[in-house]
Structure formats: C-alpha cells, structure tokens
Amino acid sequence: MIAPTVLTALQRVITVIRAVLTVTLAVAEAADAATTDQYNHVFDFDAPPRTEIQLLPNLTFGAKVKFKAVHENNFDLDFGDPDDLTFVEPELSLAFSYDPTDRLQLYLNIEPAYLHVDDEENKKDSETRLSLNEAFVSLDDILYGSTLKLGRQRFNDEREWIYDDELDGGRFYHSFSRFALDFSLTRNNDKDLLNHDDNEDVTNLMVYARYAPDRDDEIGLYAFAQNDQSDLDEDVIFFGLHADGKAWKCLEYWLELAHVRGETDSSDVRGLGLDVGSTYVFDVRFRPSITLAYAYGSGDKDPTDGRDENFRQTGFQDNNAKFNGLIRLKYYGEMVDPELSNLHIATVGTGIRPTRKTSLDLVYHNYRQVEASTLMRDWEIDQDPDGHSTDIGYEIDLVAGYRIRPHHKGSFIVGSFHPGNAFSNDADNALFVELKLQYEF
C-alpha cells in the first residue's frame, strides 16, 4: 500500500508535468500561428500610414516615404515609332489622428508628391501634387456595434473589384455576430489641391451585406447604384455576389458575380461579369503555389439595336489582390490592366516564398474579346484592335516582393504584352517595368 505522503508527492509531480506540457503546447501553437501570420501577411502600398507616434495627448502621427519608378516601352506596338515613357515619383504620406474619446476620431491623410516624366514625344508633363486623400470624422458605437464615418475616406472591397478609391460622403457600418451591413452614399472628388481636373460628377449608393460562416470564409451580397451626370449621362445599378475563403487548408478560392443594368442617354444597359479562381499552396519548403482563374465580361453583339450588353465595372476598381505572395498584384495584368468588359481573361500563375520576407510570382494572362470590336474599355495599350479577330494576345508578368523589416517594403515587376491576331502582323511586343519602395515611420 502506498503511503499518503507518496501519493501526494506523485499528484504534485503530475500537476507540474501537466502545467509544463500546457505551457509548451501554448508556446508551440503561438509560434506556429506567428509563422503562419508572417507567411500570410500582405502589404498594401495604397494604405495610409499607421498613426503610432504620439505628438500630444490624444493626437498621434504617422508617415510613409514612397518611391515609384516606371518604364513603359512600345505601348503603341510599333518599334518604328518610339514612344518610350519613364516616370519617377517620390511621395510623402502624412497621417494625423485625433482621438479625444474611445468613440470619436478625427483623421487626416495628405500626400505631397512630385512626378517627373521623361517622354520621347512630350505627351505628358512633370508636375507637383498635393493630394488630400482622407479627411473624416468617425463615431463608434452610435448604436451597438455600429460606426458612422463622415467625410473623405477610403473605400475598398476584398479584391478591389468594385472599388478602391477615396470618395466624399457618409458611411454607416453595423456588425453583429457573423453578419455585417455596410451602407454608404458618396461622390467622387478632385484630390489634388494644386492641379484641378474636370472630374466626372458621379453619385454612388452602396448597400453591402456580409456573412462569415466561419473564420476563413465570407459571403457578400450588394447593390451598387451609380448616377453619372457627365457627358456619359449613365444611370446604372450593379447587383453582385462575392465569396472568398478556404475550401480546405491549402486551397483558397474566390468568386465575383455581378449583373449591371440601367440606361445611358442612347441605350439600355444589360451586362454580366464573372471572376472565379483559386490558389493552391503546397505545404513544403518555399511554399510553391499554383493559381488558376477565369474572368468574363459580356460583350455586345449588335451596337445598333439600342441595347448595350457590354459589362462594365464601376470605374473606381483597381482589380488588385494577392495570390500567395507578399504584395497585392493586378490580377488582370500588371501592364495591360484592362477593365473587365467584352473580355475573356484566362490566368495561370505560379509562385514561391523563398523566405517569410520574400515572394516571387510568375503569371500568365490570355485575353480574348467576347465580340470582336475596335474598342477596349480602359486598358493601357495605345493601340486599338482591328474589330475582326477576338484574339487580343497574352501577357506574362514577373512580380517580386520583399519586406526587410516591418517598416521597409518593396516590389519589382516586369511585364511583357504579346499582341494577338486582332492586331497587324507586324505589331511588336510591349514591355513594362516598375519599382516600388516604401519606408514607414
């Protein structure tokens, strides 16, 4: 029979062992979560700086220094007509946040910048800019779980398929349990205080409802109405569905589906847009990944029948999201960057993560028109297709990103566009090179 003192000692030893195992398991889980967070962290060059520097009681400050250099070669697809364009843009982003209470915030973000342009044909000029990006007041918990934000503020959705822009207006956001409701009424603006442009006068109304069945998945339904009082005189509404998440641990997916309808001064608008894809990440060294995606924007068979069946996006979109790299990339092509209208876009991408702080993606895009047309809506190439063939061509992008420290980030992109049968037989390839550097204080 074991003495009571021995039993007591054994119980204490078992208690200590359990405590050690519990702490060890917690540390291991935390380390694994930290590793996962480092791999999944994606930085956004367009995001304002974090306001973490204390200036005065309740007043904090943040700043970013950004540098961008771009070279565009042969965007007219004709080597015989030199049109090389190079521009360099250093930029400073300053943000101030005044938080007198836990519920009230006054926020300001301004960006002085200088754009130096070297253009062989002098089509563009260098300029100094002072952009007022954001200036708003935010009120939290006006109702339980609700936020009201008034003023100029950034609006962007998960994949920037609807919008990524700073707009003037009001926004009401309410979340409860796994549901959220986002309502906003906005207008576009002229952000540059030094150089005024004739912006289109567009009023936007958005209602967006989201549901998160679990931590990794989200489903959203929205209605986005636009009233354009410019020369286009376009009044349209988008009804859309968004979904993204993980089918299982290593497979991410997304879906964008939208129907646009309305009218312009000369025709009725009816269009359908679809974007679906997935990224699979192999759980081995360097975390190699494969991305497959397809996007469709309907075209118009008969431009003379008074019915415009071309899908179009809102005009505020950036079409910018991550695959498996450190940076968000333009998923319709870093160089061509078209609006999804009268297009089939097939995308194949592969990437690796050599370290937690670096990434490399190689992406292929194939473009075909739905209906042969001489018009391409909002793309970067300075040449129109012939309207007989639907074969626009293909683009290959190499996208590298790095993060040396949490505050020091950068990217390097090379893109090449190869014209298809919709252009003349002697059409030449085009080249795009971009370097971005950022340091945040």
Side-chain angles (χ1 to χ4, degrees):
M1 185 172 179
I2 300 177
T5 54
V6 175
L7 288 175
T8 301
L10 287 174
Q11 289 174 347
R12 289 177 178 175
V13 171
I14 292 172
T15 300
V16 171
I17 292 173
R18 286 178 176 174
V20 172
L21 289 175
T22 300
V23 171
T24 303
L25 181 61
V27 171
E29 289 178 346
D32 182 65
T35 298
T36 301
D37 287 343
Q38 284 182 309
Y39 270 118
N40 290 338
H41 177 73
V42 177
F43 54 85
D44 182 359
F45 283 109
D46 297 327
R50 295 169 294 182
T51 54
E52 297 179 341
I53 302 172
Q54 192 81 34
L55 296 179
L56 295 170
N58 304 321
L59 179 63
T60 52
F61 167 75
K64 283 183 180 182
V65 176
K66 298 190 283 187
F67 175 84
K68 179 179 178 180
V70 175
H71 178 71
E72 299 176 355
N73 176 259
N74 198 43
F75 272 40
D76 65 354
L77 309 182
D78 182 4
F79 282 137
D81 182 19
D83 67 339
D84 289 9
L85 170 66
T86 301
F87 68 84
V88 177
E89 184 177 20
E91 184 176 275
L92 177 64
S93 183
L94 306 173
F96 301 86
S97 181
Y98 179 64
D99 304 78
T101 71
D102 292 338
R103 298 173 54 192
L104 177 63
Q105 179 191 27
L106 283 75
Y107 184 86
L108 176 69
N109 175 216
I110 58 174
E111 288 189 351
Y114 176 71
L115 178 65
H116 173 72
V117 180
D118 181 8
D119 188 347
E120 291 189 11
E121 296 186 356
N122 297 315
K123 295 179 180 178
K124 301 177 183 179
D125 297 320
S126 302
E127 64 180 17
T128 301
R129 296 202 306 265
L130 178 61
S131 299
L132 177 60
N133 284 347
E134 295 188 80
F136 63 78
V137 56
S138 178
L139 298 168
D140 290 335
D141 289 330
I142 56 173
L143 296 173
Y144 178 75
S146 299
T147 298
L148 177 65
K149 190 180 289 188
L150 301 172
R152 182 169 300 179
Q153 53 195 286
R154 186 186 183 193
F155 291 84
N156 63 330
D157 56 291
E158 179 69 22
R159 303 186 67 251
E160 300 178 2
W161 202 67
I162 306 171
Y163 49 17
D164 179 30
D165 210 336
E166 293 84 16
L167 303 172
D168 294 336
R171 183 178 196 176
F172 176 82
Y173 182 83
H174 181 69
S175 62
F176 51 100
S177 184
R178 297 180 178 181
F179 296 87
L181 179 65
D182 194 344
F183 173 85
S184 63
L185 179 63
T186 59
R187 300 188 72 175
N188 62 328
N189 56 64
D190 188 354
K191 289 185 283 290
D192 190 349
L193 302 179
L194 302 180
N195 308 284
H196 295 286
D197 295 326
D198 295 328
N199 279 339
E200 299 175 353
D201 188 6
V202 182
T203 301
N204 314 288
L205 175 64
M206 167 70 96
V207 179
Y208 202 137
R210 296 178 174 87
Y211 171 65
D214 53 52
R215 187 178 68 175
D216 295 325
D217 299 278
E218 179 180 282
I219 301 171
L221 295 172
Y222 62 87
F224 186 84
Q226 285 189 306
N227 178 244
D228 186 344
Q229 298 178 355
S230 67
D231 294 338
L232 295 177
D233 192 18
E234 191 170 82
D235 194 356
V236 298
I237 183 168
F238 298 81
F239 297 99
L241 165 68
H242 165 83
D244 73 86
K246 290 187 176 181
W248 59 81
K249 181 179 179 181
C250 296
L251 181 65
E252 297 182 354
Y253 68 89
W254 69 85
L255 169 67
E256 303 284 357
L257 178 64
H259 169 64
V260 59
R261 61 187 301 119
E263 59 184 18
T264 67
D265 58 352
S266 59
S267 60
D268 294 330
V269 175
R270 300 289 187 272
L272 180 67
L274 168 71
D275 187 320
V276 62
S278 64
T279 296
Y280 186 86
V281 182
F282 296 89
D283 190 14
V284 296
R285 188 182 180 186
F286 298 152
R287 295 176 65 84
S289 64
I290 295 177
T291 297
L292 300 176
Y294 170 72
Y296 166 82
S298 61
D300 189 16
K301 293 181 180 180
D302 185 359
T304 64
D305 64 357
R307 185 183 178 94
D308 184 356
E309 296 182 337
N310 287 301
F311 181 73
R312 73 283 316 277
Q313 294 182 266
T314 64
F316 300 120
Q317 77 284 342
D318 258 2
N319 296 330
N320 215 12
K322 79 176 187 73
F323 287 171
N324 188 46
L326 274 172
I327 66 172
R328 300 170 69 89
L329 52 83
K330 293 187 179 299
Y331 49 78
Y332 293 155
E334 289 285 351
M335 178 180 179
V336 174
D337 190 24
E339 182 174 345
L340 185 58
S341 179
N342 190 29
L343 274 179
H344 300 281
I345 305 176
T347 297
V348 179
T350 184
I352 57 172
R353 297 290 297 272
T355 70
R356 295 186 183 95
K357 298 179 180 181
T358 59
S359 66
L360 188 65
D361 285 285
L362 182 64
V363 188
Y364 167 87
H365 306 279
N366 184 273
Y367 309 99
R368 299 192 70 91
Q369 289 182 320
V370 178
E371 306 291 341
S373 172
T374 58
L375 299 178
M376 286 286 291
R377 192 179 180 103
D378 191 19
W379 75 327
E380 297 301 319
I381 298 300
D382 299 326
Q383 185 68 264
D384 295 324
D386 60 15
H388 300 294
S389 172
T390 60
D391 179 16
I392 298 299
Y394 66 91
E395 176 177 337
I396 299 175
D397 295 327
L398 182 65
V399 182
Y402 75 91
R403 182 180 67 249
I404 296 178
R405 296 178 179 178
H407 302 295
H408 186 194
K409 306 163 185 175
S411 68
F412 180 72
I413 299 169
V414 178
S416 176
F417 174 68
H418 302 252
N421 295 329
F423 301 92
S424 62
N425 293 332
D426 59 352
D428 300 307
N429 300 339
L431 180 69
F432 170 86
V433 181
E434 178 186 84
L435 172 68
K436 285 183 180 180
L437 302 173
Q438 174 182 288
Y439 185 83
E440 184 172 357
F441 296 94

